[in-house]
Amino acid sequence: MHNLDGYSIKDYGEMVTDPVRTRAFVTALTQAITPDSVILEIGTGTGFFALLACKLGAKKVYAVEPDNAIEVGKLCARDNPDTDKITWIQGLSTEITLPEKVDIVIGDLHGTLPFYNFNLLSMRDAVARHLKPGGMILPSRDKLHAAPIESPEDYTTIDQPWAQDVYGLDLRAGRRFLVNSWWRRPVTKTVKFLSVAQCLGEIDYANITSPNLDGECDWPITSDGVVHGLSLWFDSDIGPHASYSNAPDLPGLVYGNAFFPLETPVRVKSGERLVFKFSAKLIGEEYVYTWTSEHIDETGKTLARFMQSTFHGRPISRKKLEFASPDFMPVISDEGILALHVLQAASEKASVGEIADRLMSKLPAHFNDREQALAAVQKILQKYQTK
Ligand SMILES: C[S@@+](CC[C@H](N)C(=O)[O-])C[C@H]1O[C@@H](n2cnc3c(N)ncnc32)[C@H](O)[C@@H]1O
């Protein structure tokens, strides 16, 4: 089964116990649910909001989650009244068909930023295929905000390991990957804003036209200091009277907030400007973030300009580049050959035991005993069999 985010049960528990986040969703659900409500929860995790929807009197709940965490929800359902209204579906909301359209779609698919995996596409699909016309989607709107910050602590992640003298070694070549990366700031770190936050763009969940976002901020510097980077966060309207924000100057939420470094920290003075352009683009299965920053003095002269992108944030392996060429002739690994035999036998409707026996006769050098062959077969089938 898909494991999009790889959350542990501990992580799901921390989401539920985040008082600000969970309270906002509880408030919105309490206001929205009526005895006629049919609800879809996208990404139910361990089922908390689905169980809550039953408690609040919903008529029917579809709880969808690809992760095995959904089993925890089913177990908890046994200990709570009225939870037989829940249909648990292990899978992706984008790949299922429901027997009816729903009144409310709820899904907290946020990461540190609203862009996370296919979350915006999932919400768009839910509105198009699962939600009744005029139905409600929770969250309803995110506003992406940014501010230039002084945060030497964040910059030590770049400067300390990738420096000229690290135990006598020059490691500066690694620096370029870090300055083209962003990271989640732990909520405990302090931060100094060097200008007032501005909005980079909005996501209206009922009307998502694209998973991408482009935005621009033009900040008048309001305090002297050193800009180490930009902090990005979202203010989320969950329902009409329920909202929260993971801004770095507010009590920390489970999401943390994002830090996008400048290529080099810049010393700024009141009266100067920092112009920031930001783009989030879903390319294949991943978001690529690109950000340009221009430091401009009182007279309009550019003092520094940086263009950074997560596209340059990871080293590229020469081997993988070769592999991208259509002329490249692949050689299948031992593991691949094993998978080939297992899948071939499975497609011929052999049982797990029969597949293991066939493997042992075809690849005798691979296994010490039948137990080992069975384990190898199960590992491969776990990945490819229909759940
Ligand atoms: C942030 S967790 C939220 C868990 C729980 N609903 C909560 O709010 O406490 C997001 C979950 O959404 C799931 N998810 C992401 N996209 C999904 C989709 N299209 N369909 C179903 N689940 C999805 C992930 O596997 C993950 O478990």
Side-chain angles (χ1 to χ4, degrees):
M1 244 320 143
H2 312 267
N3 190 344
L4 287 175
D5 306 316
Y7 292 127
S8 65
I9 303 302
K10 175 171 172 283
D11 296 330
Y12 286 112
E14 282 170 5
M15 293 175 209
V16 172
T17 52
D18 181 322
V20 177
R21 179 202 85 112
T22 301
R23 174 56 57 198
F25 277 99
V26 172
T27 303
L29 277 177
T30 307
Q31 287 165 352
I33 288 178
T34 71
D36 293 326
S37 298
V38 178
I39 297 180
L40 162 64
E41 187 185 6
I42 303 182
T44 195
T46 52
F48 178 74
F49 291 128
L51 298 169
L52 186 82
C54 295
K55 186 174 164 60
L56 294 172
K59 184 172 149 201
K60 173 88 208 153
V61 180
Y62 297 97
V64 186
E65 169 61 57
D67 194 277
N68 288 343
I70 196 171
E71 296 301 326
V72 180
K74 293 181 195 170
L75 289 174
C76 293
R78 292 189 199 162
D79 301 325
N80 288 279
D82 295 329
T83 51
D84 54 347
K85 298 171 188 168
I86 304 177
T87 300
W88 302 95
I89 304 172
Q90 189 165 15
L92 284 171
S93 60
T94 46
E95 293 176 358
I96 59 164
T97 307
L98 295 179
E100 60 187 321
K101 295 233 179 196
V102 305
D103 303 288
I104 301 170
V105 168
I106 171 173
D108 181 10
L109 304 186
H110 295 116
T112 302
L113 294 174
F115 321 99
Y116 200 49
N117 296 324
F118 300 110
N119 56 354
L120 299 184
L121 293 180
S122 296
M123 294 302 242
R124 182 170 78 177
D125 168 74
V127 171
R129 291 193 313 117
H130 299 309
L131 190 63
K132 286 182 188 163
M136 186 180 269
I137 183 153
L138 313 176
S140 58
R141 184 178 299 273
D142 285 340
K143 286 190 182 151
L144 186 70
H145 280 94
I149 58 167
E150 180 167 289
S151 181
E153 254 186 307
D154 277 299
Y155 221 85
T156 54
T157 317
I158 300 173
D159 272 348
Q160 277 182 5
W162 312 110
Q164 192 167 9
D165 180 0
V166 181
Y167 295 96
L169 295 174
D170 185 342
L171 301 183
R172 283 175 297 171
R175 192 177 191 282
R176 77 182 84 150
F177 301 109
L178 259 285
V179 295
N180 284 295
S181 305
W182 72 278
W183 52 89
R184 178 182 182 275
R185 301 181 69 249
V187 290
T188 49
K189 282 192 181 172
T190 54
V191 70
K192 176 181 168 192
F193 283 27
L194 296 170
S195 185
V196 177
Q198 291 185 8
C199 184
L200 271 173
E202 288 191 23
I203 296 157
D204 171 2
Y205 280 93
N207 297 293
I208 293 174
T209 48
S210 156
N212 303 331
L213 184 141
D214 290 288
E216 187 171 336
C217 297
D218 186 344
W219 290 293
I221 297 295
T222 49
S223 308
D224 296 0
V226 176
V227 183
H228 291 95
L230 298 309
S231 174
L232 266 68
W233 66 91
F234 59 90
D235 293 353
S236 192
D237 288 336
I238 306 305
H241 307 288
S243 56
Y244 59 76
S245 164
N246 64 338
D249 56 341
L250 291 177
L253 303 191
V254 70
Y255 313 99
N257 49 77
F259 178 72
F260 287 75
L262 287 191
E263 192 175 309
T264 310
V266 291
R267 183 162 291 284
V268 294
K269 296 197 301 270
S270 269
E272 295 177 342
R273 285 164 50 217
L274 192 74
V275 178
F276 176 65
K277 291 185 182 152
F278 175 80
S279 132
K281 270 197 177 41
L282 185 64
I283 298 185
E285 299 191 345
E286 262 184 66
Y287 271 96
V288 171
Y289 297 108
T290 303
W291 62 108
T292 59
S293 321
E294 189 171 1
H295 174 205
I296 300 170
D297 75 7
E298 301 89 330
T299 67
K301 187 174 149 210
T302 297
L303 302 178
R305 190 171 192 281
F306 309 115
M307 182 167 172
Q308 292 155 262
S309 172
T310 53
F311 186 72
H312 303 297
R314 271 187 230 150
I316 294 171
S317 132
R318 276 179 207 283
K319 232 176 163 178
K320 286 196 180 149
L321 276 182
E322 279 173 15
F323 173 73
S325 154
D327 300 328
F328 181 71
M329 301 283 282
V331 179
I332 300 180
S333 65
D334 287 353
E335 204 187 338
I337 289 169
L338 210 69
L340 196 67
H341 285 301
V342 171
L343 297 179
Q344 177 65 42
S347 72
E348 290 162 12
K349 307 250 176 289
S351 70
V352 172
E354 285 162 359
I355 302 175
D357 294 337
R358 283 201 216 173
L359 269 190
M360 287 187 69
S361 68
K362 281 192 172 137
L363 307 166
H366 255 80
F367 308 103
N368 294 327
D369 52 35
R370 192 163 186 266
E371 283 302 297
Q372 225 184 11
L374 274 170
V377 172
Q378 278 153 358
K379 194 170 156 204
I380 292 164
L381 288 178
Q382 246 168 32
K383 195 164 169 195
Y384 293 107
Q385 77 174 334
T386 317
K387 298 288 191 287

